[in-house]
């Protein structure tokens, strides 16, 4: 599958790319398929079934809300977050669902939206089945989808052929699935990783569209940080987690007014934590975020980009574009070689991958060699191997929000080790660490992979 940077950095809503964004896209795709097949007018009932991790943590991740809104034709990149609550309230009050916002059916949530807590479909832990019935109560059409991380979805037939819904015959000038292949292209063509990614992206869109598109994604990230720095109160879901970003922002503004000699030299890390917290508090509240490469890890890359912009002399838009192209290349390597789904890999598939992407992207923006970039990305993941996904109450809050601050800090440290204190030669390659990550994910018990059946989720009281 040819993957674009714009597939990895997509605009959606919180709290989860695999449990909210993906299911919304799947439900929407299902009803679009009904319409294209001429079946929509004959639908009397829609039954939606969630399996595995989608069932176990679906309520905490708003999967139920996502599939309802998706069935009505809403897309995660376009839906207004303020629209969600009143629309879901209306669906539940009237017990009616408007498929593709054009065909109204009766919908009994208790019997038509089923959580199979003890069942899993064969291809992936994040499985869902949609079935429609006609006015004679006979089955009209059924389709199974999987949400495979980062908002990507795959239907069952395509999954069995190892192809995704967006599979096509798109040809890239420089295709790669491993870091070795990526670096080999760069050496043979005398290109940087960013230059190679630019050429690949040109196979989809114009140079102007690439630059504008990446800078627009950066703008959305900045807006998310700004909102997060202004909002206060308690996050929804029942854990009573207090938003902290606004308070930290006020503290840092006051610190900046002090003479330089009176300021804490570690203040920079408070800024990095602030930016990550701001994004992930917005994500936990169901706000608009950029999957980077997932919602659960959406604060890492914006935090490191803000670090670049605020603390690096000479930072500019060209550096931002370079950062995002290279981070995208690294994200592609993980998607091709392992997974960006916490239900498969634990949190190393989310925050670990985001850390690796951010480390490589920052190294590129600061002028590192291709080998130093690969080293930075490798360090970023090597020290996230085995990271579990054990959200308390199935909410993307504890430990997810703070974990993004740790991922951002590790990324900056990894970049410095690779660029300032390394020449690109290193013992462990990025391909080796990706292979290790994949094996570790397979060996990890399912209770530590976004099921809330182990770790902090069972050892910390929910209230």
């Amino acid at each position: 599958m040819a993957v674009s940077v714009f597939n990895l950095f997509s605009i959606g809503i919180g709290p989860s790319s695999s449990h909210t964004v993906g299911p919304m896209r799947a439900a929407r795709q299902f009803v679009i398929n009904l319409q294209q097949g001429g079946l929509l007018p004959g639908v009397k009932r829609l039954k939606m079934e969630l399996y595995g991790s989608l069932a176990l943590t679906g309520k905490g991740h708003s999967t139920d809300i996502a599939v309802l809104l998706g069935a009505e034709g809403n897309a995660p990149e376009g839906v207004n977050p303020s629209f969600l609550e009143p629309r879901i309230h209306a669906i539940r009050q009237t017990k009616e669902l408007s498929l593709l916002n054009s065909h109204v059916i009766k919908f009994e949530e208790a019997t038509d939206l089923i959580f199979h807590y003890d069942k899993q479909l064969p291809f992936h832990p994040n499985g869902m089945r949609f079935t429609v019935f006609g006015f004679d109560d006979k089955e009209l059409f059924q389709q199974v989808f999987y949400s495979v991380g980062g908002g990507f979805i795959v239907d069952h037939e395509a999954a069995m052929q190892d192809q995704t819904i967006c599979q096509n015959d798109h040809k890239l000038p420089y295709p790669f699935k491993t870091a070795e292949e990526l670096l080999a292209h760069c050496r043979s063509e005398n290109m940087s990783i960013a230059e190679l990614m630019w050429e690949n992206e040109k196979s989809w869109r114009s140079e102007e569209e690439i630059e504008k598109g990446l800078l627009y994604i950066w703008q959305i990230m900045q807006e998310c940080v700004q909102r997060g720095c202004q909002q206060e109160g308690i996050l929804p879901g029942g854990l009573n987690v207090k938003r902290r970003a606004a308070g930290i922002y006020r503290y840092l503004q006051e610190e900046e007014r002090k003479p330089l000699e009176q300021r804490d030299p570690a203040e920079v890390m408070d800024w990095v934590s602030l930016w990550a917290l701001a994004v992930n508090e917005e994500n936990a509240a169901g706000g608009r975020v950029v999957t980077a490469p997932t919602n659960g890890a959406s604060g890492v890359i914006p935090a490191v980009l803000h670090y670049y912009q605020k603390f690096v002399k000479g930072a500019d838009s060209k550096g931002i574009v370079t950062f995002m192209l290279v981070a995208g290349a690294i994200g592609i390597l993980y998607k091709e070689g392992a997974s960006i789904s916490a239900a498969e890999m634990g949190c190393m598939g989310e925050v670990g991958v985001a850390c690796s992407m951010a480390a490589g992207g920052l190294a590129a923006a600061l002028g590192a060699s291709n080998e130093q970039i690969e080293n930075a990305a490798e360090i970023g993941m090597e020290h996230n191997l085995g990271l579990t996904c054990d959200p308390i109450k199935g909410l993307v809050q504890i430990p997810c929000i703070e974990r993004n601050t740790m991922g951002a800090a590790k990324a900056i440290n990894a970049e410095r080790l690779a660029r300032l204190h390394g020449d690109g030669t290193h013992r462990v390659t990025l391909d080796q660490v990706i292979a290790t990550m994949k094996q570790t994910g397979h060996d990890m018990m399912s209770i530590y992979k976004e099921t809330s059946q182990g770790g902090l989720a069972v050892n910390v009281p929910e209230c």
Side-chain angles (χ1 to χ4, degrees):
M1 173 191 175
V3 180
S4 165
V5 171
F6 293 95
N7 296 136
L8 289 166
F9 296 123
S10 62
I11 299 166
I13 58 169
S16 172
S17 50
S18 61
H19 284 56
T20 314
V21 175
M24 187 182 292
R25 286 178 175 156
R28 182 173 184 269
Q29 185 63 50
F30 178 72
V31 292
I32 288 173
N33 292 345
L34 290 175
Q35 183 186 56
Q36 291 176 341
L39 298 174
L40 191 59
V43 172
K44 176 186 177 183
R45 179 187 173 212
L46 167 62
K47 182 180 180 181
M48 300 186 278
E49 300 170 86
L50 305 174
Y51 295 83
S53 176
L54 286 186
L56 289 164
T57 59
K59 292 286 179 72
H61 287 69
S62 300
T63 308
D64 48 348
I65 292 172
V67 293
L68 292 175
L69 293 171
E72 293 206 319
N74 296 287
E77 57 270 22
V79 68
N80 185 338
S82 64
F83 163 83
L84 307 185
E85 187 174 341
R87 183 56 201 150
I88 291 298
H89 178 74
I91 291 170
R92 288 169 172 166
Q93 285 292 109
T94 63
K95 296 186 177 182
E96 289 183 340
L97 200 60
S98 180
L99 303 183
L100 272 188
N101 199 28
S102 63
H103 179 67
V104 178
I105 62 170
K106 289 293 181 182
F107 188 81
E108 293 285 346
E109 192 166 350
T111 55
D112 293 339
L113 179 51
I114 309 299
F115 290 77
H116 294 291
Y117 299 108
D118 57 347
K119 296 179 182 178
Q120 183 169 307
L121 296 176
F123 177 70
H124 193 279
N126 292 336
M128 62 203 104
R129 186 191 308 273
F130 302 100
T131 309
V132 286
F133 303 86
F135 290 95
D136 57 1
D137 294 324
K138 292 182 179 179
E139 182 179 311
L140 284 177
F141 184 60
Q142 180 185 119
Q143 202 167 12
V144 168
F145 289 88
Y146 302 96
S147 179
V148 296
F152 288 85
I153 58 171
V154 56
D155 72 13
H156 184 75
E157 290 185 6
M160 294 302 100
Q161 301 171 18
D162 195 26
Q163 296 176 335
T164 66
I165 280 179
C166 52
Q167 171 71 37
N168 51 48
D169 295 325
H170 187 86
K171 302 298 182 184
L172 296 174
Y174 303 106
F176 61 89
K177 291 190 175 182
T178 67
E180 183 180 358
E181 291 174 348
L182 173 61
L183 293 174
H185 280 311
C186 290
R187 284 192 291 268
S188 65
E189 300 297 326
N190 193 28
M191 286 182 178
S192 68
I193 295 174
E195 289 169 340
L196 182 142
M197 287 298 293
W198 185 266
E199 292 302 315
N200 277 355
E201 289 298 321
K202 280 167 59 178
S203 67
W204 277 292
R205 48 188 63 84
S206 70
E207 293 190 354
E208 182 182 10
E209 288 172 328
I210 297 168
E211 182 174 11
K212 283 187 175 181
L214 291 174
L215 292 177
Y216 177 68
I217 289 169
W218 167 229
Q219 177 187 327
I220 298 299
M221 289 178 174
Q222 291 175 288
E223 290 173 357
C224 184
V225 167
Q226 290 166 4
R227 288 194 307 273
C229 288
Q230 295 166 0
Q231 303 300 313
E232 300 194 63
I234 303 298
L235 291 170
L239 283 182
N240 296 318
V241 174
K242 182 181 178 182
R243 284 183 179 252
R244 287 178 286 174
I248 296 173
Y249 182 54
R250 286 193 298 271
Y251 162 78
L252 288 171
Q253 285 181 310
E254 292 174 4
E255 287 297 300
E256 286 197 322
R257 297 187 188 102
K258 295 180 180 178
L260 191 60
E261 63 272 13
Q262 295 180 17
R263 289 164 62 179
D264 187 341
E267 180 184 296
V268 61
M269 299 313 299
D270 289 336
W271 280 104
V272 173
S273 293
L274 163 68
W275 296 318
L277 286 171
V279 172
N280 287 91
E281 287 174 357
E282 278 294 292
N283 179 62
R288 187 172 303 285
V289 300
V290 176
T291 62
T294 68
N295 282 36
S298 57
V300 175
I301 286 175
V304 178
L305 276 169
H306 275 80
Y307 163 85
Y308 166 76
Q309 183 186 59
K310 183 175 179 66
F311 293 108
V312 173
K313 187 176 180 180
D316 57 16
S317 61
K318 182 179 179 182
I320 299 291
V321 169
T322 294
F323 183 116
M324 297 186 76
L325 287 170
V326 173
I330 295 163
I332 289 168
L333 294 175
Y334 284 99
K335 182 157 180 58
E336 293 283 2
S339 171
I340 56 173
S341 167
E344 286 186 287
M345 296 288 118
C347 199
M348 63 180 168
E350 296 203 29
V351 168
V353 172
C355 175
S356 183
M357 292 170 66
L362 181 60
L366 295 177
S369 69
N370 291 335
E371 290 72 23
Q372 289 173 317
I373 292 167
E374 187 243 2
N375 188 197
E378 182 277 321
I379 295 170
M381 173 53 74
E382 184 178 334
H383 305 289
N384 277 295
L385 290 173
L387 189 62
T388 60
C389 180
D390 50 354
I392 298 173
K393 205 175 179 181
L395 297 167
V396 193
Q397 297 181 17
I398 303 174
C400 320
I401 295 173
E402 285 184 357
R403 188 164 283 170
N404 275 255
T405 73
M406 301 298 120
K410 280 186 180 181
I412 294 168
N413 191 33
E415 184 280 327
R416 293 179 68 83
L417 284 172
R419 181 181 60 87
L420 291 179
H421 308 296
D423 61 3
T425 58
H426 48 287
R427 184 64 181 83
V428 180
T429 68
L430 180 54
D431 287 333
Q432 288 169 337
V433 87
I434 291 174
T436 303
M437 170 200 172
K438 183 178 182 179
Q439 187 60 54
T440 303
H442 288 170
D443 293 341
M444 187 183 289
M445 294 175 64
S446 64
I447 61 173
Y448 300 114
K449 294 192 285 189
E450 210 169 7
T451 60
S452 289
Q453 294 179 315
L456 287 175
V458 298
N459 286 304
V460 177
E462 292 179 1
C463 58

